[in-house]
Amino acid sequence: MNRRHCAAAAITLVCALTALTAPVQAFAAPAPPSPSVTQHESGPKAPEKSLEEVREEIDALYRKAGAATDAYNLAEEKAKKQSGEIVRLARAIVEGQAKIAELKAQAGAQAREQYRTGGLPPGAQFMLSDDPQLFLDGVNRVREGQQAAQGVLGELTRTQQDLETYTQDASANWKKLEAGRLKQAEAKKKINTQIAAAKKLESRLKKEERARLLKLEQEAEYKLQTAWLSSGALKDINREASASGKKAVAFATAQIGKPYVWGAEGPGSYDCSGLTSQAWAAAGRPIPRTSQEQWRLLQHIDIKDMRPGDLIIYFGDASHVGMYIGDGAIVHAPRPGRNVTLAGAGSMQILGVVRPDK
């Protein structure tokens, strides 16, 4: 058996084992009928659901929370940029106001000088002299004085226009910042609602039902990964990581075991795109913060050309991302209640692959 087939077999085994500690979001194929879920709440008895139906419902809730987390992270990233821009504009406004005060003082000094000389600019008296040299000196001084006065007035006008532009830009950025904060608050509410609903479903299960639920998650992940490997996906994937890719992989794998927390970028916890963006930042290649922006802005790569360090984007809405580390595996932050872990690259629905370092 050659090295590639050994690697494929090894990662299949790894996925089966690592799923025990870190099951991930996945679309599951129909499973054998599961025992119905025990209802623990009082009130009218709701129709009983199978454990597989509960698993799918919990999975859907966490995926919705993941999509809302992406929206929250994007709004937060924009808010940081807008806040920075407002600070820059505020400084420019202060500097502009100081410059206007200085220019007005210069213009005032010139006006007072003209008043003292009866409206004649400095050097005008020399122009009345019978001495040719004094006359020429006077002409030059008058010309210089006129140019200086025009320069001060022109600079004053430009500075006032700049100040007006800065003020308008600052006002526009404040409006954007407030709109972004509203989006953040809305996304945060959605995240908490979806997570609370998923936890509520899980809390209704008895201990043995939660154990069976975990097993169903593992089976769904294993089935998808096995199907992906059986499709020949790894046949041509044997490329070495770039120098930057090796650094990114080293950083990401060093975070294994740390908890998933939505909106987190480390160092103690991460969400999915927080992990990948920080890993590539550590490799000296800053990338977009969210999985959706990573999918939209980074270079798309065919799966057959994938190499360690590349990012695999999952689901149709690009709401999840993991980093490919080789041999058919990824490292990722799965969802609330799970830790950063290894998983099969094909254990979720793949949307595509992007490469941070072209």
Side-chain angles (χ1 to χ4, degrees):
M1 183 178 294
N2 58 35
R3 180 182 179 277
R4 188 174 302 150
H5 289 164
C6 288
I11 192 57
T12 301
L13 179 58
V14 167
C15 291
L17 294 175
T18 56
L20 292 173
T21 56
V24 297
Q25 304 160 323
F27 289 116
S34 302
S36 59
V37 176
T38 304
Q39 302 292 326
H40 294 286
E41 295 188 351
S42 60
K45 188 175 181 180
E48 293 185 348
K49 296 179 181 179
S50 70
L51 203 55
E52 176 61 21
E53 289 174 327
V54 172
R55 187 196 70 79
E56 290 176 353
E57 189 173 349
I58 290 173
D59 185 64
L61 287 167
Y62 278 125
R63 280 194 52 209
K64 288 178 181 178
T69 297
D70 231 34
Y72 177 91
N73 289 336
L74 183 59
E76 183 180 45
E77 187 176 33
K78 288 182 177 179
K80 287 179 182 177
K81 290 180 181 178
Q82 286 156 1
S83 295
E85 182 65 11
I86 288 170
V87 170
R88 186 191 70 79
L89 289 169
R91 289 174 179 165
I93 288 171
V94 171
E95 291 172 359
Q97 289 172 334
K99 189 174 183 180
I100 285 174
E102 180 184 348
L103 291 170
K104 282 183 176 179
Q106 290 181 25
Q110 290 174 344
R112 288 191 296 272
E113 178 65 22
Q114 286 184 347
Y115 177 78
R116 284 195 297 270
T117 58
L120 293 174
Q125 292 92 346
F126 292 105
M127 292 177 66
L128 303 177
S129 173
D130 292 332
D131 186 321
Q133 186 59 47
L134 290 176
F135 176 81
L136 292 174
D137 289 343
V139 170
N140 289 332
R141 291 188 184 185
V142 169
R143 184 180 293 116
E144 289 171 358
Q146 290 174 337
Q147 289 175 345
Q150 290 173 354
V152 168
L153 292 176
E155 190 172 1
L156 179 59
T157 300
R158 288 191 299 273
T159 303
Q160 288 174 327
Q161 291 173 343
D162 289 343
L163 191 59
E164 183 178 350
T165 300
Y166 294 152
T167 303
Q168 291 174 349
D169 288 348
S171 177
N173 273 281
W174 270 115
K175 290 178 181 178
K176 290 179 181 178
L177 184 60
E178 288 303 312
R181 284 172 176 165
L182 290 175
K183 288 181 180 179
Q184 272 186 282
E186 182 181 351
K188 183 177 181 179
K189 184 178 179 181
K190 288 181 179 178
I191 294 165
N192 289 330
T193 298
Q194 304 297 344
I195 292 176
K199 288 182 176 179
K200 186 176 181 180
L201 278 175
E202 288 181 291
S203 69
R204 292 176 179 175
L205 303 176
K206 292 180 178 180
K207 184 178 180 180
E208 58 271 21
E209 289 172 333
R210 287 197 292 271
R212 290 201 301 272
L213 180 68
L214 182 61
K215 187 176 181 181
L216 286 174
E217 291 178 359
Q218 297 164 5
E219 289 173 352
E221 177 185 354
Y222 179 78
K223 187 173 183 178
L224 285 170
Q225 174 70 359
T226 302
W228 186 70
L229 293 174
S230 299
S231 71
L234 285 182
K235 182 179 179 182
D236 298 317
I237 303 177
N238 56 3
R239 290 166 177 77
E240 291 290 328
S242 64
S244 297
K246 290 178 181 178
K247 292 178 182 178
V249 169
F251 179 95
T253 53
Q255 312 314 309
I256 290 174
K258 294 182 179 180
Y260 176 106
V261 175
W262 65 265
E265 300 177 77
S269 57
Y270 297 88
D271 62 20
C272 66
S273 57
L275 176 65
T276 54
S277 60
Q278 288 302 304
W280 273 101
R285 294 268 187 165
I287 63 173
R289 168 66 177 86
T290 70
S291 59
Q292 291 176 347
E293 289 296 282
Q294 289 168 5
W295 173 246
R296 187 173 71 87
L297 297 174
L298 298 180
Q299 181 187 16
H300 288 212
I301 298 294
D302 288 338
I303 289 180
K304 64 181 179 63
D305 297 323
M306 190 163 57
R307 69 189 186 194
D310 289 345
L311 306 181
I312 303 181
I313 309 297
Y314 294 96
F315 308 119
D317 58 0
S319 58
H320 191 68
V321 60
M323 178 179 291
Y324 185 65
I325 62 171
D327 289 333
I330 61 167
V331 58
H332 73 145
R335 65 165 175 82
R338 301 290 188 255
N339 297 332
V340 176
T341 188
L342 296 178
S347 60
M348 295 169 283
Q349 183 191 48
I350 296 176
L351 177 62
V353 181
V354 294
R355 177 166 295 164
D357 57 336
K358 296 180 180 180

